[in-house]
Amino acid sequence: DEIVAMAKKEGKLRVMIGLENPNFKPLIEGFKQKYPFITDIRLEEMTSGAYQRIPLELKAGQAKGWDITHIPSQFGKEYMPYLMKYDILGMAGQGVLKIDPRMVHSSERNIIGVTSTIGVVSYNKKLISDDKVPDKWEGFLRPEFKGKKFIMDIRPLQIAGLVPAWGLERTLDFARKLAAQDPLWGRGTARINSSVAAGEYVLFLENNFSSVKRAMSKDPTGSLNYKVLEPVSTIIGHHSSGILKTADQPHAALLWLEFLVSPEGQEIIDKYEPLKASVFTPGSAVAQEVRGKELSVVDWNHFTNFEEYTEKIYAAWGFPKADK
């Protein structure tokens, strides 16, 4: 009640957000429907080009006028000193805010992850049958997949997502063996998925669920399909948010964070991001895909080390350059 009362006095909100622009209008409309007294809301998408610039502006005291910032996982440590020290985890645990505590950073307690991504392999089902596509990551080390038989994205996000289940050393060993299979190297999931659908490649490893589902919706041939590999590389906090120390509307910001992970907010994200609502949201597309499967969850204990994992895997691959 106190948070709502203070938010009524504030009446507006300024958000730097990591979600894509199609989410903005439905999120604002849904939030205003729940809190009609917050009439002035401005959202701005934080693009990758601003990830390193924003912490420098925060340090210099120049990033003013914003209440919430997106926190990219690869630069999480740089943002943390500039966040309001609200105990959001405590408020979630006590039911002050309706937030699943698993969505809140377990040690910092003031960062919330609103999305999840999972690793999959996409394939052209006209070129390979489903039963020939491995169910587990290690299946791609079999002899029949050696020598340009599948394509890999040179940014190893999904492979890095195996560290929680396997540990770093086992993951690095797997990465070296994968590189020894002599795959094709590429960059950009949308482009590669389109090429798989067109029959240029048979299999695309190092892919994610949202990207392949988006590509399938645009595939006129109906050739593109996917399989969820176990353990399922599950990254939470890919779109994380925190309230800035300099926030002018911190109470409205708390209500916004709660709304993003509410059933209404998560439904919007699943529709417009798309298919990236949290694995902790019952009924989300990701939650349904992983039901009953073994997970490797890049949770908050791995959040600030995730970029280190990707760099070490890239080095284990021998710093490949994209063939395509």
Side-chain angles (χ1 to χ4, degrees):
D1 291 342
E2 181 182 347
I3 293 171
V4 171
M6 295 299 291
K8 284 182 178 178
K9 294 180 180 180
E10 293 165 354
K12 61 182 181 179
L13 184 65
R14 300 290 183 265
V15 181
M16 282 190 289
I17 194 168
L19 300 173
E20 295 183 10
N21 193 271
N23 292 275
F24 291 10
K25 184 178 179 181
L27 283 175
I28 289 172
E29 289 175 349
F31 186 65
K32 283 184 175 181
Q33 187 173 2
K34 194 167 186 179
Y35 301 109
F37 49 82
I38 302 177
T39 56
D40 183 1
I41 304 172
R42 190 171 85 215
L43 271 58
E44 181 176 315
E45 182 181 1
M46 185 193 287
T47 60
S48 58
Y51 287 178
Q52 291 177 286
R53 188 191 78 241
I54 296 299
L56 295 175
E57 293 179 353
L58 288 168
K59 187 176 183 179
Q62 296 175 350
K64 296 181 180 179
W66 298 100
D67 302 308
I68 292 175
T69 181
H70 168 61
I71 305 168
S73 58
Q74 62 266 51
F75 302 109
K77 291 179 181 178
E78 297 179 34
Y79 284 74
M80 289 174 182
Y82 305 103
L83 301 180
M84 188 87 73
K85 292 298 182 182
Y86 279 143
D87 185 6
I88 296 176
L89 181 59
M91 287 188 270
Q94 295 294 324
V96 175
L97 294 173
K98 293 180 181 178
I99 296 175
D100 187 319
R102 294 174 295 178
M103 297 180 180
V104 187
H105 197 296
S106 53
S107 57
E108 294 297 318
R109 305 177 72 89
N110 60 352
I111 298 172
I112 144 179
V114 304
T115 64
S116 296
T117 60
I118 58 173
V120 302
V121 56
S122 62
Y123 60 96
N124 187 308
K125 61 187 180 183
K126 294 181 180 177
L127 300 178
I128 188 171
S129 61
D130 179 76
D131 62 302
K132 299 292 185 183
V133 179
D135 298 309
K136 296 184 178 293
W137 294 89
E138 300 98 315
F140 284 88
L141 302 182
R142 297 201 300 259
E144 62 262 36
F145 292 109
K146 187 174 179 67
K148 313 296 183 187
K149 297 297 174 60
F150 59 92
I151 188 166
M152 294 279 295
D153 194 308
I154 60 174
R155 191 171 183 216
L157 298 181
Q158 306 306 330
I159 305 297
L162 298 174
V163 172
W166 286 358
L168 182 57
E169 289 309 314
R170 180 181 171 185
T171 304
L172 290 175
D173 181 64
F174 172 71
R176 295 184 192 100
K177 291 176 179 176
L178 204 58
Q181 291 289 79
D182 188 27
L184 284 159
W185 298 101
R187 185 70 186 99
T189 54
R191 185 185 304 113
I192 298 173
N193 276 319
S194 296
S195 297
V196 173
E200 295 177 33
Y201 312 113
V202 179
L203 293 151
F204 174 27
L205 198 58
E206 186 55 44
N207 200 352
N208 72 77
F209 172 66
S210 174
S211 294
V212 71
K213 290 290 283 187
R214 190 181 301 200
M216 287 172 68
S217 70
K218 299 176 182 178
D219 174 23
T221 68
S223 302
L224 194 62
N225 204 359
Y226 70 96
K227 185 176 283 191
V228 179
L229 302 175
E230 292 190 71
V232 185
S233 175
T234 309
I235 303 172
I236 68 170
H238 186 68
H239 291 289
S240 298
S241 295
I243 302 172
L244 290 166
K245 282 182 179 179
T246 53
D248 294 319
Q249 289 81 223
H251 300 89
L254 283 171
L255 297 181
W256 175 263
L257 294 182
E258 181 190 54
F259 176 74
L260 284 180
V261 298
S262 69
E264 302 96 319
Q266 290 284 286
E267 184 178 353
I268 290 169
I269 290 170
D270 245 355
K271 183 176 181 179
Y272 293 100
E273 189 57 15
L275 304 177
K276 288 186 180 179
S278 174
V279 69
F280 302 130
T281 299
S284 72
V286 167
Q288 293 179 62
E289 284 290 326
V290 303
R291 187 175 292 121
K293 297 184 182 297
E294 178 191 357
L295 304 185
S296 178
V297 182
V298 180
D299 59 15
W300 300 110
N301 293 320
H302 297 274
F303 179 75
T304 52
N305 297 319
F306 190 67
E307 188 67 11
E308 177 189 343
Y309 300 161
T310 63
E311 290 173 357
K312 288 185 175 181
I313 293 167
Y314 186 58
W317 281 348
F319 305 100
K321 294 182 178 179
D323 300 304
K324 299 290 183 181

